Amino acid sequence: MSDTKQNISAHYLQPTQLRVGVFVELDLPWFKHNFALSAFKIRSETQLQEVLNLRLPKYRYSPERSDLPDDNSPNNQIVVRELPAIEAVPESMLDDPVQAAEQQRIKMLAQREARINEVEKAFVKATLILKSLNKNLLLKPKETLDELGGLVGEMVTVFLESPNATLHVMGEKAGGEDVYYHSLNVSILAMMVAKDMELSAEVARELGIGAMLHDVGLVEVPDRISKKSPDEYTSAERNMRAMHVEYGIKIARKAGLSNDALTVVAQHHELADGSGYPNALKAAAMSQSARLVSLVNYYDNLCNPVDPSKALSPHDALSLMFAQRRSKFDARALAILIHSLGVYPPGTIVELSNTAVASVISVNPKRSLRPTVMVYDAKIPKERAIVINLEDEPEISITKSVRPETLPAKVLAYLNPRKRVTYFFDGDTQAGQE
């Protein structure tokens, strides 16, 4: 992007030289104009007039990203028609639209922040329920399962009944590093896939309970093993870690889980091609719910391994699973997961068609190719960062994913890709309209 910025900064046009097709960068604070981004290609006469109404003395532009004439044009310079001079408008009239635009943007940001705060509160509440469950599952099994069932029931309602259930990636202040967040991720992703697999509410509920408890057996595995990178395991440690499935089955039985939920706990590390454990089951021998949980558990472990340095981006994790390991998974469930998360799942850093870098912060499964992104702009404070729903910006698209480690430190800090990619949902029927 630095080369592009240098090219843009070296070229200017007079107002009368502007035309449709010129890629401009506005030398104005973000709140002084109505455009989604400060750098964009002028697409229409209406948009051109809006740019001219800003009344800048000159306009920075990028020849490389503009629609230039053929090489045989004199000096290969932009050939433009002169536009009528803009009539002078009293400053008092100009101030009102600018102030109105600023206030509207601030209002939208405040509304979105309030919604995300509510989602984060629900996320924290869910993790507290899981922590309580971990302590009380055997001491107070009925009460604990009732509380868990209430949380899962909320997910079932949102994902199976709400047309605009939106998946968000949680901010650093809401996320954490332990097993509860993994269990919550697996449950939410499984519920999202269950919707498009058209599972009944009853089946989805038991699936959700099994997903929440799939790793409950880890409480019997010493921390020195469970928190150690699998690449460093001795053979004995690997076997001990694998025992968490057997421990989980025993705990789940004592707690009184249904057979459907128990099967999820027992089979969440089995794989469709028979390469999983503990029993090397193939797809036909696994329950439908277990095949689904096995899939999303595998995905989340790629994104959130014990050793954060080995983490894949959500985009790369899905690409690996589809391109190289698809035989390990239920084909339909994998296709639905990819469709629901989109090619660029929440948490992915992307480059946009206008060369801006952004992070994907939420995706509506019904509009998975047009997620909501937060855009990096050095001129805008992070707390007021531009958030764009790409569904509302047809001229802007994602061109590729970007590995976080390739970004400058200041960009990385702004976009804040987290050590763990943690999800939660928003059942607001207007979520897809922001």
Side-chain angles (χ1 to χ4, degrees):
M1 285 185 60
S2 59
D3 291 342
T4 302
K5 291 287 186 183
Q6 290 172 0
N7 288 335
I8 290 176
S9 64
H11 300 84
Y12 290 89
L13 292 174
Q14 296 299 311
T16 53
Q17 293 179 293
L18 284 183
R19 68 170 175 85
V20 173
V22 171
F23 189 95
V24 295
E25 179 172 293
L26 302 176
D27 292 322
L28 285 173
W30 63 273
F31 53 82
K32 291 293 187 181
H33 61 76
N34 293 327
F35 301 102
L37 297 174
S38 295
F40 56 93
K41 183 180 290 186
I42 300 173
R43 299 287 183 179
S44 67
E45 292 290 342
T46 299
Q47 193 176 50
L48 171 61
Q49 191 59 51
E50 291 175 351
V51 172
L52 290 171
N53 285 343
L54 297 173
R55 303 187 70 195
L56 297 179
K58 59 182 178 179
Y59 290 83
R60 197 188 323 217
Y61 83 106
S62 169
E64 292 79 8
R65 295 188 62 78
S66 299
D67 291 337
L68 293 173
D70 296 335
D71 288 340
N72 58 6
S73 297
N75 301 319
N76 195 28
Q77 294 294 309
I78 239 172
V79 178
V80 297
R81 59 178 174 78
E82 290 201 354
L83 297 169
I86 304 173
E87 293 183 10
V89 180
E91 289 294 330
S92 59
M93 293 182 65
L94 287 174
D95 286 342
D96 288 342
V98 170
Q99 292 175 0
E102 178 182 357
Q103 292 302 314
Q104 179 64 19
R105 187 188 292 270
I106 291 174
K107 180 181 177 182
M108 291 177 63
L109 286 170
Q111 289 174 342
R112 184 183 183 282
E113 183 177 359
R115 181 183 300 147
I116 294 301
N117 284 340
E118 290 303 311
V119 174
E120 289 182 345
K121 287 178 184 177
F123 173 84
V124 172
K125 178 181 177 181
T127 59
L128 292 175
I129 290 175
L130 288 182
K131 290 181 180 181
S132 172
L133 177 151
N134 188 60
K135 295 178 181 178
N136 298 324
L137 183 59
L138 295 182
L139 294 175
K140 302 176 180 178
K142 185 180 185 305
E143 293 88 340
T144 304
L145 287 178
D146 284 347
E147 191 172 11
L148 178 63
L151 174 61
V152 172
E154 180 184 354
M155 292 184 187
V156 170
T157 299
V158 169
F159 282 109
L160 271 62
E161 298 179 11
S162 173
N164 290 317
T166 302
L167 191 69
H168 298 271
V169 62
M170 292 291 91
E172 191 70 46
K173 66 181 180 180
E177 305 299 328
D178 56 32
V179 66
Y180 307 112
Y181 300 95
H182 169 67
S183 297
L184 195 55
N185 268 2
V186 170
S187 303
I188 290 167
L189 294 171
M191 205 64 61
M192 182 181 68
V193 176
K195 176 179 182 176
D196 285 338
M197 292 189 75
E198 299 180 344
L199 302 187
S200 69
E202 182 179 354
V203 170
R205 182 180 185 278
E206 296 308 312
L207 180 158
I209 291 174
M212 286 279 191
L213 293 174
H214 76 279
D215 269 341
V216 69
L218 283 176
V219 299
E220 301 293 341
V221 178
D223 284 354
R224 63 179 176 81
I225 295 176
S226 63
K227 294 183 179 180
K228 184 177 181 179
S229 174
D231 292 341
E232 300 174 0
Y233 281 164
T234 64
S235 178
E237 288 173 335
R238 184 169 286 104
N239 290 336
M240 182 64 182
R241 167 79 185 209
M243 287 293 292
H244 81 277
V245 176
E246 183 177 328
Y247 298 144
I249 293 171
K250 291 179 180 179
I251 293 172
R253 281 177 176 158
K254 287 182 181 179
L257 264 68
S258 69
N259 286 336
D260 287 348
L262 182 62
T263 301
V264 170
V265 175
Q267 299 179 356
H268 72 275
H269 277 297
E270 303 288 359
L271 295 168
D273 63 356
S275 63
Y277 69 88
N279 297 313
L281 300 180
K282 292 192 174 182
M286 299 169 64
S287 73
Q288 183 181 41
S289 294
R291 292 197 300 270
L292 197 165
V293 171
S294 169
L295 165 71
V296 297
N297 180 60
Y298 197 102
Y299 165 76
D300 195 62
N301 281 332
L302 289 177
C303 295
N304 299 309
V306 176
D307 182 356
S309 69
K310 299 183 183 300
L312 297 183
S313 72
H315 171 76
D316 288 342
L318 282 185
S319 297
L320 175 68
M321 291 170 68
F322 181 77
Q324 300 180 31
R325 302 180 185 176
R326 74 180 79 175
S327 64
K328 295 181 180 295
F329 313 110
D330 181 298
R332 184 181 176 214
L334 176 59
I336 290 173
L337 178 66
I338 293 172
H339 172 76
S340 298
L341 286 176
V343 178
Y344 305 100
T348 302
I349 306 299
V350 296
E351 182 176 306
L352 303 179
S353 55
N354 59 6
T355 74
V357 176
S359 59
V360 179
I361 58 174
S362 65
V363 60
N364 186 320
K366 293 295 183 183
R367 303 168 179 172
S368 57
L369 295 178
R370 309 293 294 177
T372 298
V373 299
M374 182 177 76
V375 180
Y376 170 73
D377 190 325
K379 295 181 291 186
I380 300 176
K382 180 179 177 180
E383 60 272 15
R384 294 284 180 84
I386 293 173
V387 174
I388 301 175
N389 183 343
L390 292 179
E391 178 70 14
D392 300 329
E393 299 290 341
E395 299 297 337
I396 303 174
S397 61
I398 295 173
T399 57
K400 64 179 180 180
S401 67
V402 177
R403 292 186 179 277
E405 61 269 21
T406 65
L407 295 174
K410 64 179 182 179
V411 180
L412 198 62
Y414 190 104
L415 295 177
N416 195 28
R418 305 181 57 252
K419 292 180 181 178
R420 293 187 61 86
V421 180
T422 311
Y423 300 124
F424 208 64
F425 58 91
D426 180 3
D428 189 334
T429 57
Q430 298 302 313
Q433 304 301 320
E434 64 183 11

